[in-house]
Amino acid sequence: MGFAVGEAAARARGPAGASRGVQGLGLRAVVLMAGRVVGAVGLLRHCGRRAVVAALALSWCAVLSPAAFAARSDVVVGMAIEPQGLDPTGAAPVAIGQVTWQNIYQGLVRIDRDGKIQPQLAERWTVSDDGRTYTFALRQGVKFHNGEAFDASTAKFALDRARGANSTNPQKQFFSVIDAVTAQDPATLVVTLKEPAGNLLYWLGWPASVMVEPKSAQVNKTEPVGTGPFKFVRWAKGDRIVLERDPNYWNAAQPARIQRVTFRFIGDPQAQAAALRAGDVDAFPEFGAPELYGNFQKDNRFVAVVGNTELKVVAGMNNQRKPFDDKRVRQALMLAIDRPLLIEGAWSGLGQAIGSHYTPNDPGFVDLTGVYASDKAKARSLLSEAGYPNGFTFTIKVPQMSYATRSAEVLQAMLAEIGVTMTIVPTEFPAKWVSEVMTGHDFDMTIVGHAEPMDIGIYARPDYYFGYRNAAFNDTIRRAEQTTDEEGRLRLYGEAQTMLAEDVPALFLFVMPKLGIWDRKLKGFWANEPIPSNDLTEVVWED
Amino acid sequence: MIALIGRRAAGLVLTLALVSIVVFVVTDVLPGDPAAIMLGTSARPDTLAALRQELGLDQPAIARYLAWVGGLLTGSFGTSITYGVPVAGLIAERLAVTLPLAGLSIVIAMILALPLGIAAGYRRDEPLDYGAMAFAQTALTLPNFWIGLILILIFSTWLGWFPAGGFPGWSAGLLKALQALLLPAVALALPQAGILTRVARTAIVELAGDDFVRAARGKGLSQHVILWRHIVPNALVPIITILGLQFTFLIAGAVLVENVFSLPGLGRLAFQAVAQRDLVVLQSVILLFATLVIVVNFLVDLCYLLLDPRLRDAR
C-alpha cells in the first residue's frame, strides 16, 4: 500500500481532520444545511446569469467572428493533499504521482485510463520464450525538459538507479527481479530477469518507474525534469504548483491541449466545495466529502462523475493473535457485516462492496461479496463453534481519516449484534499507526484504505501486518507473478482472491469511489482511477 | 531604564536557549520515523536505511541538536524532510502570509472594538452599552473557523466578491493579495474584537471612578477632555496587554482558519510538519513561535514603560 495508505487515507479526509473533529455532529448538520442553501441560491443566480450571458453572446456573435471566442487555455485542478517533493521515484506519497505522473514524467510504458498497458517511451518490445529477457525498442528524438536526449543509456541509468543499493525508490521490490540492464544501442534496451515476472510491464507503467536522466535526477524533488507534455514552472509551498505546456514536446502529434495547469491544495472538504462554487477551482478529480457530493450532482454548472479507485477499505486483523488466529472467528465477523449498510453509513452510499482484496477495475476481478454475505445467525453459530458462545471483547486501532472512523463506528454496532464488543482506539495516522500497527504488530484489528493497484501480493509477505500465513496462497501468488501469459496469470489471481475471501485475513469492506467534479465545459478527465493519477494530457475546454 | 531593557534582553536570549532544548527534546521523542512515513508501508529495510542516512536521521540526538543550533546561529535552518528545500525559505514564505494576516486582524479588531468599548464604558448602562456588550458576547462565542465558513458562503459563493481561499502571493499584486487575506482576517478579528471591546469598556469604567478622574472633574475639565486626556491613555495599558496576547495567538493559533481558507500560513506548516514528522521544520517553527511570543512580550513591556512613567523607576 505504501504511502499509498497514508495518502489515500488523507485524501479522503485531508489535514483538516482536527478541525472537523472539533466541530462535532451538531455543526456538521448546520454546515450541511448551509451547503444546501448555497446550492439553491447558486441555482437561482445561475439561471439569471445564464440569461444574461446568452443575450450577450447573441449580440456579440453578430459582430465578431467565432475565432474571437477562443476557449480558455488554463485549468485549475484541486487536490486534497499537497505532495511531499515531486519525485515519484524517491518517496511513496500518492500525491506525488497525482501531480507529476504523465504530466511531467513518463515511463517506458504507461497505464491508460482503462488500466491497460500502453507503449510510451518504448515503442514496442519482445519477450523471450523463457520470459526472462525483455527487449525494448525505444522511441527516438525524445528530449527531457532540460534539453537532454532520452536513449537507452538514460533508460539504463533510471532503472539501475531505482534498483541500486542507495535507492530510496518506494517500489524497490519491483526491480529486485531484474538481473541486468543493458543499453545494446541508443534505441535498444535489454532487461534480463532472475526469474520470469509477468507483472514487469505493469510495474514499469507505475509512477515509481518513470524515466529520469542523470543531470536532473538529484534535484527532481523540487525541480522535476521529465519527458512529459508539461514542464514544471513554480511551486508555492502549501498552496499551488504550476505547470506549462512544453513547446518542444516530443509527441507533436498529441501535445497537451491545455496551455497551463495549476494544482491547488485544499484539504478541508468545506473549503473544497466553496472553491468549486466560487469558481476558484475548475475541477476536483477526487472530492473529499461524500455528504456534499449530491449538491454538485444537481448543479448543472458541474459534471459529477462517480468512478472507481484502487483504494480498498479493509479492516485487517492480527491473524497471529487470539481469537483472530481462528479462521471461524474471522469468518463470523465477516458474516456479521452488512456491507451496503456500512457504505451508506460511512460514505453516503457511494462506493462498491468487495469480498476480497481486489477492485472491479483490476483485470481478473472476481465478485466474491457472496462468499460471506451478511448472515447473523450463521455468524453466531460459527462463534459458538469456535468457543465464543458469549462473544468476546477486542480493540480496533482507527486512523483519524473520516472514512475509517465512520466505518469503525458502524462496524462496532454490527458486531454488537452478535455479542462481540469492539473498543475503538483512535490512532494517529501515519506516524503512530505505522510504528504500532505496521511495524510493531501491536493491534487486534485496524482499518485503512490500501491505495495501490493490484497489491493482493501483500498477503503473501511473511512480515506484513496482517500476519497471514498460508503456503498455498503464497504459492499461487508466486506462480501468478511468474506467469507471462495473461490469461493464466489472471486465472491464478482469481484463485488467490477466492482464498482470501474464504480465509478472511481482513474484513473486506468497500472500494472508495472517485468522486470527480469538474466544470461542465471541461473534457478529458479520467472517470476511474486504475492508478492514482491526474493525467491532464487530454483535458480541454469545450463549449 | 537602559539597564532594565538590557536585563530583559539577556533574559530573552537565555529563555530562547532553554526553549531550543525543550523543543528539540519534545519533538525528538514523538513516535514515528520520518523516513518510514515518506517511504510508506511498502518500504524495505535497506531502502529505509538508505533514506535515514540521506536525511541524517542515523546520527545521535546530541549531534543532531548541535548541528541544528549551530545552523540556526549561522542563519541556516536546515532542509525540510518533506519538501527537500531550505527551511528558512519555507518559513519566510509562510511569514509573508501569516504576519500580514495577523497584522490585518489586529487592525480590524481595533477599528471595531476600541470605539465601541470606549463608548460603552463612557455611556455605561445605556442602550449603547447593552448593544456593545451583546456584540462582544456574540463575537467571542462564535468560533472563528465557523465565522470563516459563513463569510465564504456570503462573500465568495453568493456574491463572488472574494476568492473562497488560497493565496495568490504578493507577486500577484497588492490588491489581489489583500483580497485573499481580508475574509480570513475578519474571521480572526471578530472574536478578538469581542474580547477587546470588553477589556476597553472595563478599563474605562474602572478608571472613571479613580481619584485622578475625580480631581480632574473637580478642576472643572469638560467630559471630553477628561475622557481623551486622562482616562483613555491610562486604559491603554490593559488594552496593549491584550493586544500582545492576541497577536501571538494569531500567529500560532490560526490553524483552523488557515485550513478553512486553505492559506499557506505558519500554523498550517506546523500542522503538516507534525503529521509528516518533518522534525526539522517542526523544531524551527516552534522555536519561531516561542521567539515571537517572547519578543512581543518584551515589546509590550517596553510599551508599559513608555505609557507609565512610574514603571521606569521600578527596579
Side-chain angles (χ1 to χ4, degrees):
Chain A
M1 58 180 147
F3 251 64
V5 171
E7 278 304 304
R11 268 191 292 169
R13 171 149 189 169
S19 69
R20 297 197 49 214
V22 179
Q23 293 169 23
L25 265 180
L27 181 63
R28 192 175 292 156
V30 171
V31 170
L32 270 175
M33 267 165 52
R36 280 189 197 124
V37 175
V38 185
V41 173
L43 201 66
L44 281 176
R45 272 182 64 230
H46 182 63
C47 292
R49 198 197 279 161
R50 251 198 4 204
V52 174
V53 169
L56 274 176
L58 276 174
S59 61
W60 279 83
C61 277
V63 191
L64 295 169
S65 68
F69 295 96
R72 269 181 67 186
S73 63
D74 70 309
V75 65
V76 181
V77 178
M79 277 173 62
I81 301 284
E82 180 176 29
Q84 304 170 273
L86 295 174
D87 182 0
T89 68
V94 165
I96 300 178
Q98 286 180 322
V99 169
T100 62
W101 185 74
Q102 291 308 309
N103 297 325
I104 297 175
Y105 301 109
Q106 299 177 317
L108 291 176
V109 298
R110 71 180 172 100
I111 292 161
D112 69 9
R113 59 174 83 209
D114 301 316
K116 300 230 161 51
I117 299 160
Q118 300 291 351
Q120 193 157 49
L121 297 179
E123 274 178 304
R124 57 190 180 277
W125 50 87
T126 52
V127 185
S128 65
D129 288 341
D130 66 356
R132 289 177 52 185
T133 307
Y134 284 67
T135 308
F136 294 96
L138 304 184
R139 200 172 288 281
Q140 295 299 284
V142 175
K143 281 204 161 46
F144 283 91
H145 299 143
N146 61 357
E148 296 292 317
F150 167 81
D151 61 16
S153 65
T154 341
K156 174 178 162 53
F157 165 82
L159 290 182
D160 283 346
R161 177 171 169 267
R163 68 198 191 95
N166 293 324
S167 162
T168 57
N169 191 295
Q171 307 297 344
K172 199 172 166 185
Q173 73 276 5
F174 286 175
F175 313 100
S176 62
V177 73
I178 297 177
D179 189 37
V181 182
T182 322
Q184 210 170 62
D185 61 64
T188 315
L189 183 82
V190 181
V191 176
T192 47
L193 308 181
K194 294 170 190 158
E195 56 190 40
N199 291 324
L200 184 76
L201 286 171
Y202 180 73
W203 290 336
L204 289 177
W206 277 47
S209 311
V210 293
M211 291 293 117
V212 297
E213 59 88 37
K215 279 190 182 156
S216 50
Q218 280 310 311
V219 294
N220 272 344
K221 197 172 177 188
T222 48
E223 288 159 56
V225 169
T227 58
F230 294 99
K231 286 195 299 188
F232 170 77
V233 177
R234 172 168 85 85
W235 182 5
K237 312 268 177 332
D239 191 51
R240 65 190 67 199
I241 289 173
V242 181
L243 313 181
E244 224 166 53
R245 183 161 62 193
D246 178 13
N248 307 314
Y249 181 49
W250 60 268
N251 192 351
Q254 287 171 302
R257 303 182 69 184
I258 285 279
Q259 181 69 36
R260 194 178 178 86
V261 176
T262 305
F263 285 99
R264 280 203 40 202
F265 309 109
I266 304 174
D268 185 86
Q270 302 294 341
Q272 293 176 359
L276 277 166
R277 290 206 179 97
D280 298 353
V281 167
D282 303 311
F284 241 104
E286 268 184 299
F287 185 66
E291 63 275 16
L292 298 176
Y293 193 68
N295 290 332
F296 286 96
Q297 287 176 309
K298 288 178 221 135
D299 190 334
N300 62 5
R301 282 177 295 165
F302 300 101
V303 174
V305 181
V306 185
N308 252 322
T309 67
E310 285 296 318
L311 194 131
K312 301 153 281 271
V313 179
V314 307
M317 287 168 280
N318 191 340
N319 287 231
Q320 298 300 313
R321 195 180 267 191
K322 269 188 179 315
F324 306 104
D325 55 349
D326 188 330
K327 185 158 85 176
R328 291 167 299 184
V329 171
R330 304 195 302 263
Q331 290 166 339
L333 298 190
M334 193 76 250
L335 283 165
I337 295 163
D338 180 345
R339 276 168 283 210
L341 195 60
L342 180 129
I343 296 168
E344 194 60 51
W347 220 240
S348 300
L350 301 158
Q352 204 165 349
I354 44 170
S356 182
H357 201 90
Y358 227 72
T359 79
N361 267 349
D362 299 329
F365 169 76
V366 185
D367 184 358
L368 294 161
T369 43
V371 176
Y372 288 108
S374 176
D375 185 341
K376 300 216 158 60
K378 205 165 146 197
R380 276 191 215 96
S381 75
L382 257 179
L383 269 189
S384 304
E385 212 179 287
Y388 299 96
N390 302 316
F392 58 94
T393 300
F394 72 99
T395 60
I396 179 169
K397 291 198 170 167
V398 181
Q400 70 275 22
M401 291 79 76
S402 52
Y403 73 82
T405 48
R406 291 185 209 165
S407 297
E409 283 157 16
V410 179
L411 276 181
Q412 192 177 42
M414 286 175 178
L415 294 183
E417 288 182 45
I418 60 161
V420 171
T421 308
M422 182 172 101
T423 311
I424 295 177
V425 180
T427 307
E428 186 211 355
F429 194 95
K432 216 160 175 278
W433 187 89
V434 167
S435 73
E436 286 182 14
V437 177
M438 191 70 207
T439 43
H441 300 275
D442 178 22
F443 73 107
D444 295 333
M445 187 188 274
T446 188
I447 184 168
V448 280
H450 288 247
E452 296 194 352
M454 302 279 288
D455 59 350
I456 190 168
I458 55 177
Y459 292 86
R461 288 197 205 160
D463 54 348
Y464 210 62
Y465 77 92
F466 307 117
Y468 175 61
R469 313 259 159 89
N470 180 345
F473 177 82
N474 296 358
D475 185 55
T476 309
I477 290 291
R478 196 179 48 80
R479 281 192 293 139
E481 284 175 358
Q482 292 185 2
T483 305
T484 41
D485 127 67
E486 175 89 4
E487 203 179 310
R489 189 169 72 247
L490 296 183
R491 190 169 36 78
L492 285 164
Y493 277 127
E495 284 174 25
Q497 291 170 57
T498 311
M499 287 177 179
L500 289 187
E502 279 162 6
D503 276 358
V504 199
L507 304 176
F508 302 108
L509 303 176
F510 63 99
V511 180
M512 191 64 85
K514 179 180 190 294
L515 304 181
I517 300 174
W518 46 83
D519 191 291
R520 195 174 42 84
K521 290 182 181 154
L522 272 172
K523 303 275 160 18
F525 280 101
W526 289 20
N528 292 319
E529 197 180 58
I531 184 156
S533 58
N534 283 307
D535 182 348
L536 299 173
T537 317
E538 291 170 8
V539 168
V540 67
W541 290 94
E542 272 174 13
D543 283 322
Chain B
M1 187 174 162
I2 304 285
L4 188 71
I5 295 175
R7 270 207 303 279
R8 285 284 167 81
L12 197 148
V13 172
L14 189 70
T15 316
L16 280 179
L18 283 173
V19 167
S20 77
I21 295 176
V22 173
V23 166
F24 187 85
V25 171
V26 169
T27 48
D28 212 55
V29 297
L30 280 178
D33 175 359
I37 292 168
M38 280 188 83
L39 284 177
T41 42
S42 298
R44 299 294 161 135
D46 59 332
T47 327
L48 198 61
L51 187 61
R52 289 183 60 90
Q53 195 187 353
E54 196 182 301
L55 299 174
L57 293 168
D58 54 340
Q59 302 288 317
I62 295 280
R64 279 182 290 125
Y65 174 75
L66 290 178
W68 178 55
V69 171
L72 289 181
L73 292 178
T74 56
S76 155
F77 288 61
T79 305
S80 158
I81 295 174
T82 312
Y83 289 118
V85 296
V87 174
L90 209 53
I91 289 181
E93 275 175 26
R94 300 303 177 104
L95 276 177
V97 180
T98 295
L99 285 181
L101 178 65
L104 198 57
S105 313
I106 288 281
V107 170
I108 294 172
M110 279 165 68
I111 291 175
L112 285 174
L114 294 187
L116 206 56
I118 292 170
Y122 189 61
R123 303 230 174 259
R124 194 180 167 189
D125 291 334
E126 289 179 27
L128 178 75
D129 184 23
Y130 297 137
M133 284 306 99
F135 160 78
Q137 197 59 42
T138 316
L140 116 174
T141 321
L142 298 176
N144 49 26
F145 67 88
W146 189 81
I147 299 175
L149 286 174
I150 299 300
L151 289 176
I152 290 177
L153 198 70
I154 298 172
F155 293 101
S156 306
T157 320
W158 289 356
L159 298 172
W161 293 351
F162 293 93
F167 187 68
W170 294 100
S171 56
L174 187 68
L175 196 71
K176 280 209 152 145
L178 285 180
Q179 208 179 12
L181 289 183
L182 192 66
L183 291 189
V186 170
L188 281 168
L190 276 179
Q192 314 286 3
I195 299 170
L196 210 53
T197 308
R198 293 179 62 132
V199 170
R201 176 188 177 275
T202 310
I204 300 288
V205 167
E206 279 178 3
L207 287 166
D210 262 13
D211 292 343
F212 74 95
V213 176
R214 255 185 265 141
R217 246 184 232 126
K219 277 196 284 179
L221 294 176
S222 77
Q223 290 287 350
H224 268 98
V225 174
I226 294 173
L227 179 69
W228 293 110
R229 261 205 226 129
H230 295 277
I231 300 182
V232 170
N234 282 295
L236 284 179
V237 171
I239 289 172
I240 285 177
T241 311
I242 294 296
L243 282 177
L245 286 174
Q246 290 188 340
F247 190 74
T248 49
F249 168 82
L250 286 174
I251 296 283
V255 188
L256 293 185
V257 168
E258 284 173 9
N259 256 331
V260 168
F261 287 92
S262 29
L263 284 180
L266 259 193
R268 229 156 58 108
L269 182 67
F271 188 82
Q272 268 182 334
V274 174
Q276 302 298 340
R277 293 296 187 271
D278 193 340
L279 299 182
V280 189
V281 168
L282 188 60
Q283 286 156 358
S284 300
V285 172
I286 297 178
L287 191 63
L288 185 72
F289 285 154
T291 312
L292 282 170
V293 171
I294 295 168
V295 168
V296 168
N297 277 337
F298 180 65
L299 292 178
V300 167
D301 285 354
L302 283 188
C303 284
Y304 291 163
L305 294 179
L306 288 177
L307 284 172
D308 193 342
R310 287 170 299 176
L311 293 173
R312 291 176 209 164
D313 302 326
R315 279 184 299 120

